[in-house]
Each structure stands twice: as C-alpha cells, then as structure tokens.
Amino acid sequence: MSETRLKLAVQKKGRLTDKTLDLLRKCGIDFENGTDRLYVPARNFPIDLLFLRDDDIPEYVQDAVADIGVVGKNESVENRADVEYLKDLGYSRCKLMMAGPEKSSISTPVELDGKTIATSYPNLTKDFLASNGISCKVVEISGSVEISTSLGIADFICDLVSTGTTLRMNHLKPLFNVFESEAVLIGSKKNNDDPEKSSLIEELLKRMNSVQNAKNSKYLMMNMPNESLEKALEILPSLKSPTILPLADGNSSAVHAVIPSNQFWNIIEDLKSIGASGILLLPIDNIVL
Ligand code: PRP
Ligand code: ZN
C-alpha cells in the first residue's frame, strides 16, 4: 500500500475557507474541525490540509511546498504563479474593480490617465491600464486600500468587490471591471512527475465533479395515482428517466426523479392537480455520471 499523501493548501481564514471545507466534506473527505492548526490530516483520504494565508498559496504550490491549493483566481494570476489550473470551483466569486469617490464623474477608463491608483493587485491593475492604453501611477498597498482616497494617497483604487459593502461604507463607487475571480484548484507542475500523486488528484477531481453535478439538482419523491403516471412523466423535468415503484395499495406508485432545483415550484401545483401526495424534496450531495 502506497504512503503517498497530497498536501492541499487552503486559506486559513477568509472568503474561501468555509466553502472549501464544505466542498471537501461533500467529497467524502473527513477531517477534524477548526482551522486554528496549520496542518490537519484527513482521516479517510490520503490528504493533509495546510492552512495558509491566501496570498501565499500560489507561491507555495508553485514551489511544491503544497501539491495543490484552493485560491482565488485573482491571487494566482496576480502572483504570476507558474502552476497548473486544475478546476474552476464556482464559489467565492468576486470582481477586481476600479473604484473612485462617489462624486467622481468618470465614465470611460481613458479618463483615469495620469491619475494615482492604490491597489493590492499591482499586476492586474497594470494589465488593465495597458490594455486600455493609459498610464497611471500605481501605489501598492497591502491592506485597507479603500481608505486611501480619503487619506489623499490616491485618486482611485483598484480592489476586490464582492457584496459592495466596503465600497459603500467608504463612499466609493465601482467604475470598471478589471478581473473576474472565483475559487480555483491549482496544482504544482511537479505533480506530473509523480504518478501516485497524479492519480490521487484525479480521484479528488472526480469527486469534485460529482459534487458540482449535484449542486443544482434535487431528489423529488412523491406518490401518484397510477392513472396519472403518464401525465406526471410529461410534467417532470427529470435529468434521467424517473423511477416508478408500485405501492402496496395497488392503485398508486412512488415516483422518484432527479430534477433541476429551480424547477420545483414551477411544477409542484401541476403535480398536485393530478393527484401527487406525500411530496418530498431532498438535497443531493453527489451525482456520478
Ligand atoms: C476584500 C477587499 C475589500 C472586501 C470587499 O478583502 O479588499 O476589503 O473584500 O468585499 P465586499 O464588497 O463584500 O465589502 P478581503 O476580505 O478578501 O481580504 P484580503 O483581500 O486581504 O484577502
Ligand atoms: Zn488576502
């Protein structure tokens, strides 16, 4: 039996942490609660979690200190990390945006020309300026970028926006999108030289795919009079053929189907009108296609 274990870097505390741990649990990977330790081995899968500052994760993965990592795409591209992009994870979406004082009347990027911009993302900011053919003074600040205009350090800021609360609280308004981000799984290029690590990563990706497949689906169970079964099948937006099981009463059947979550309320009245009863809607953790 192989002793190979994967080291997975996860943000210690922040916008990525909870959803990443939730994803791992849905992948059937069980580990102790609490992110106050640096290093947490999983109990039932050869993976060890390393809790790190998100800003450090791309470099640690690049240098193979961690084999894989979950990080914001913004952080990884900003760091120009030489890593492999294994998967978009679809959560912790946010935007890197140019923003300015509420009273600013700017409507095109060209009007930023010659101004001073404070940011924690100088590379992404410079990419944006270059692609718009403008030049600005870019001041790199590691935190609390949103107060730099009121301190007179900069005219504009380029910062992450998720709910927009931070901008509003600082009397700033969003101006232009610079970069769209979400959580991504990255891997060290050295993994390619290690077949055992590669196959553990394959297994993890397979499980993550099954969680993603399940995310927008629900399992619908109901009882239906036999004479309505044909109509029920027409109404159900089922992903695959529903399961029909005869009930002991001889007149009705149990119908089980995987449906898109957002369709439930559209079809429920129609199903009831043809006699559906005992309707249950259950969450699904995994779908293996
Ligand atoms: C970002 C950003 C803002 C805030 C925006 O910081 O710098 O402060 O989130 O979010 P909102 O639009 O929901 O108010 P974050 O907490 O990610 O810290 P970090 O950049 O240091 O990782
Ligand atoms: Zn950070």
Side-chain angles (χ1 to χ4, degrees), residues 207-274:
R207 294 187 186 194
M208 286 181 169
N209 287 334
S210 90
V211 174
Q212 278 186 343
N213 290 337
K215 207 170 91 180
N216 300 315
S217 302
K218 290 257 160 67
Y219 197 75
L220 175 68
M221 298 164 68
M222 61 190 169
N223 293 339
M224 189 62 90
N226 287 336
E227 67 266 21
S228 299
L229 282 175
E230 212 168 310
K231 274 195 188 132
L233 295 186
E234 282 168 25
I235 296 168
L236 281 172
S238 183
L239 292 185
K240 63 178 187 64
S241 185
T243 304
I244 296 175
L245 305 162
L247 293 183
D249 67 7
N251 318 315
S252 54
S253 301
V255 179
H256 295 189
V258 177
I259 63 164
S261 320
N262 58 7
Q263 300 273 325
F264 179 69
W265 294 108
N266 298 337
I267 59 171
I268 196 65
E269 287 308 323
D270 291 345
L271 291 168
K272 278 163 77 177
S273 75
I274 58 168

Side-chain angles (χ1 to χ4, degrees), residues 41-159:
R43 294 192 188 102
N44 57 352
F45 192 87
I47 198 164
D48 300 319
L49 307 189
L50 292 181
F51 288 103
L52 303 170
R53 282 187 57 220
D54 67 329
D55 312 44
D56 297 332
I57 291 176
E59 206 177 316
Y60 278 135
V61 172
Q62 171 185 287
D63 300 343
V65 175
D67 304 304
I68 52 178
V70 174
V71 73
K73 197 183 259 172
N74 58 307
E75 211 63 72
S76 187
V77 177
E78 171 65 27
N79 281 279
R80 307 279 195 242
D82 187 22
V83 295
E84 272 184 52
Y85 284 83
L86 300 173
K87 190 168 179 50
D88 289 341
L89 298 174
Y91 55 84
S92 304
R93 290 182 196 275
C94 58
K95 288 179 184 166
L96 185 66
M97 293 194 80
M98 210 59 87
E102 273 163 0
K103 60 183 192 308
S104 63
S105 57
I106 275 196
S107 59
T108 58
V110 187
E111 294 166 76
L112 296 171
D113 200 40
K115 305 287 188 196
T116 301
I117 297 170
T119 186
S120 308
Y121 298 91
N123 288 325
L124 291 172
T125 302
K126 285 172 190 164
D127 290 349
F128 173 83
L129 297 174
S131 69
N132 282 283
I134 47 183
S135 68
C136 293
K137 185 175 175 210
V138 176
V139 181
E140 185 175 350
I141 294 181
S142 61
S144 303
V145 171
E146 59 277 359
I147 61 168
S148 49
T149 56
S150 58
L151 292 179
I153 299 168
D155 305 310
F156 296 91
I157 65 166
C158 185
D159 198 15

Side-chain angles (χ1 to χ4, degrees), residues 267-288:
I267 59 171
I268 196 65
E269 287 308 323
D270 291 345
L271 291 168
K272 278 163 77 177
S273 75
I274 58 168
S277 62
I279 300 168
L280 290 180
L281 190 68
L282 307 175
I284 303 174
D285 277 349
N286 300 81
I287 295 181
V288 179

